[in-house]
Amino acid sequence: MESPPGQSIEILKQRAFACQAAAREAVRAYGRASWLRFAATFIPVPLVVVLFRLHLVAWHYYVLGGAFIVIAGLMYALDSRAADRRDKAIADAKAARTVYRAARTAEKAGR
């Protein structure tokens, strides 16, 4: 049994709005977490260097530099994964909106 055309348009509309809300939330979550990743990259090691600069010997700087590079690489990897999730949510919302608009246009043309 086929559903009425208006009902399928409503389902597509609800899906488009739900995807748009999910994309908006993904962008907000990425923005919030970006500040934490930025702080985790640029605060701990430089803060240790500034606080303990009078007590550090030469090899400490090599260790701290290596720690900084490792932390920066880890935060870059985490940020890349988060950006991919955000981009996927945006692409899903765009696709759902396109399908809804095409169905709505087809329905109006069919009248």
Side-chain angles (χ1 to χ4, degrees):
M1 188 156 102
E2 179 117 1
S3 63
Q7 185 179 2
S8 65
I9 295 292
E10 280 302 312
I11 291 170
L12 290 174
K13 181 179 179 181
Q14 290 171 358
R15 185 180 179 320
F17 284 141
C19 286
Q20 185 66 31
R24 197 174 301 120
E25 182 55 35
V27 169
R28 279 193 200 120
Y30 175 78
R32 273 183 267 138
S34 289
W35 283 104
L36 294 174
R37 287 187 293 272
F38 180 81
T41 301
F42 292 108
I43 291 178
V45 173
L47 183 66
V48 167
V49 170
V50 169
L51 290 178
F52 298 109
R53 69 183 180 270
L54 298 177
H55 303 286
L56 296 176
V57 292
W59 67 272
H60 290 144
Y61 290 100
Y62 291 110
V63 171
L64 290 171
F68 180 77
I69 290 171
V70 168
I71 290 171
L74 178 65
M75 291 303 127
Y76 179 78
L78 290 174
D79 188 67
S80 295
R81 288 181 59 206
D84 289 344
R85 282 193 303 268
R86 178 202 59 195
D87 293 343
K88 184 182 179 322
I90 291 171
D92 289 347
K94 185 177 179 181
R97 189 171 50 245
T98 303
V99 167
Y100 165 65
R101 285 181 180 165
R104 189 179 65 185
T105 304
E107 182 189 40
K108 285 182 182 179
R111 286 186 188 178

